[in-house]
Amino acid sequence: MLIDTRIVVLGGGPGGYVAAIRAGQLGLDCVLVEADRLGGTCLNVGCIPSKALIHAADEFHRLASYARAPRHGIAAAAPTLDFARTVEWKDAIVGRLNAGVASLLKKAGVKTLRGHGRMTDGKTCVVDTDTGRVTVKAEHVILATGSEPIELPALPFGGKIVSSTQALELTEPPARLAIVGGGYIGLELGIAFAKLGSRVTVIEAADRILPQYDADLTRPVVRRLDALGAEVLTATRALGESAAGLEVLCADGTRRRIAADRVLVTVGRRARLKGWGLEGLDLAMDGGFVRVDERCATAMRGVWAIGDLTGEPMLAHRAMAQGEMVAEIIAGERRAFHPAAIPAVCFTDPEIVSVGLSAEAARARGHEVITGLFPLAANGRALTLAAEDGFTRVVARADNHLILGIDAVGPGVSELSAAFTLALEMGARLEDITCTIHAHPTLGETVAEASYKALGQALHM
Ligand code: FAD
Ligand code: NAD
């Protein structure tokens, strides 16, 4: 079968499906090709199932902690965990969102082809569907094949060595869980499993966990890992796994064996470059990623690339924003991808949010800066939530008070990311924040308080 269309999108992850929906809404003929389930990594094996597991683990751990030691006058009996029901609940959320994406695509008039796609040239995608081969010829191609976990040669996936995908499919929390890689996934899932009762050991090659974040932001997470009984080995490398356990080389040169029922390897992800015909296209590369310009155009005319395939930060909201933009460009709009900031949120306990520049990064760019840090311990709402380990911090230009960065660490601060990003995107100055009435009592007040502090006008400190 042959389909002639304006756009073919290869990959139905957040980047791909958002591009397709927007294209359809703009009246462009669009075919979306997805080999697996709609929603890609994010919806099926990433953002959504991991956050469901994190929430369930929080609830279980909270009840268990009330059972161990009553707090605020509340005592509880020890909770029981029916993990199969937890997994069912998580899978139901994924299923509901899968169906939601399918219906949004249909509503936008997008034709979805379920099957593995392969580009045979810059205009043609051959798709092997259950009912036979379909050739899609398109004026524009949007490549959105996403990313996959990096495998360590010494710890190939299989058996007890698992990637995040298999970790999210476990039928029970492992009694002993070793995690190689103390980054986003290792810590989000590691903390969740520790709360579900696993004895967790994190092995991180760098000299601290979450090395991509400012050290001040990660300290409360280190404290929490400690309180949860998780062991964190930094500057440590995993050498291999045998019946005797996971062998690691520690910072001091000694070797240790860590007994583990599962070894979760989360040492980063790489762009999915194989299996879809990249070798037959004339694309420029940027290391292991497809090179794109500010419009997500590749080196070939009419071929666009978005999302994890195009590099860091490998985040769902970046992929979606790029997808939306490319559809609008194809529809004739003048667009370029120049966000003031792409928010980074780590759903650890406590959560971390980082938007824009740190003071150090701002100085490295030649800015003279002023900063303000407001501790959660001085915020009424944080105290009522028993959530006082953390802070909100602002970085602004010293000359005109333009905000360059805002970050925070604390329970529930992921929800502040929208306000932080909006402030940067709208070019807010410290005075814009202090002149905004922030509802009381909320964690959001810490942004105003941090801004007052940067101006040397602290109100509540
Ligand atoms: P993907 O989501 O990887 O989708 C690519 C799609 O292309 C897949 O569905 C794949 O099946 C399909 N495909 C590939 N090749 C072909 C082919 N030849 N034919 C047909 N289809 C093909 N990001 C966040 O922003 N927040 C989070 O909280 C977060 N949590 C995460 C947790 C985990 C455990 C993981 C693994 C990732 C997480 N991420 C998170 C990252 C996020 O999932 C990715 O950045 C995002 O999914 C990238 O979107 P994408 O559209 O580029 O690619
Ligand atoms: P990551 O880059 O966040 O962390 C990998 C960690 O592994 C790093 O700290 C690195 O120093 C360490 N490491 C590398 N090689 C090692 C080795 N041989 N031994 C021990 N440690 C080693 O990668 P990830 O956790 O796999 O996540 C992949 C990507 O998925 C992230 O970069 C992010 O883009 C995305 N993600 C985002 C979120 C979120 O937004 N909340 C959540 C999960 C995943």
Side-chain angles (χ1 to χ4, degrees), residues 2 34 41 48 59 72 104 183 214 222 236 251 323-324 328 339-340 354 398 424 436 438-439 450:
L2 178 72
E34 172 53 55
T41 305
I48 298 300
E59 298 281 293
H72 333 309
L104 290 171
D214 177 277
V222 174
T236 300
E324 185 184 353
E328 289 172 0
S354 175
L424 264 79
T436 301
H438 289 75

Side-chain angles (χ1 to χ4, degrees), residues 8-17 19 32-37 39-42 115-119 125 141-149 269-278 281 283 285 288-290 303-311 314 319 322:
V8 63
V9 182
L10 184 60
Y17 82 70
L32 174 71
V33 180
E34 172 53 55
D36 202 340
R37 286 181 295 170
T41 305
C42 165
H116 185 89
R118 192 178 170 78
M119 301 303 303
C125 182
V141 172
I142 303 177
L143 301 170
T145 57
S147 64
E148 56 202 2
R269 294 178 64 84
R270 64 167 155 242
R272 193 177 284 116
L273 301 177
K274 293 206 176 111
W276 52 265
L278 169 67
L281 304 180
L283 301 182
M285 300 299 290
F289 299 104
V290 171
V303 179
W304 312 79
I306 56 175
D308 286 8
L309 181 64
T310 64
M314 288 197 253
Q322 289 179 325

Side-chain angles (χ1 to χ4, degrees), residues 51 152 180-186 188 203-206 210-212 236-238 266-269 312-315 345-347:
K51 273 65 209 181
L152 290 175
V180 181
Y184 272 99
I185 301 177
E188 288 188 2
I203 295 113
E204 166 57 51
L210 289 170
Q212 61 269 63
T236 300
R237 291 198 163 265
T266 56
V267 293
R269 294 178 64 84
E312 300 280 357
M314 288 197 253
L315 297 173
V345 177
C346 195
F347 293 83

Side-chain angles (χ1 to χ4, degrees), residues 340-341 343 355 403 406 416-428 433:
V355 181
I403 296 175
I406 316 183
L416 298 181
S417 63
F420 294 2
T421 315
L422 188 66
L424 264 79
E425 199 59 60
M426 297 196 72
I433 304 288

Side-chain angles (χ1 to χ4, degrees), residues 84-110:
R85 298 287 292 274
T86 308
V87 169
E88 246 173 53
W89 170 73
K90 163 183 76 75
D91 292 347
I93 296 170
V94 170
R96 191 166 150 184
L97 291 172
N98 282 140
V101 172
S103 88
L104 290 171
L105 286 163
K106 196 168 165 207
K107 190 169 148 210
V110 175

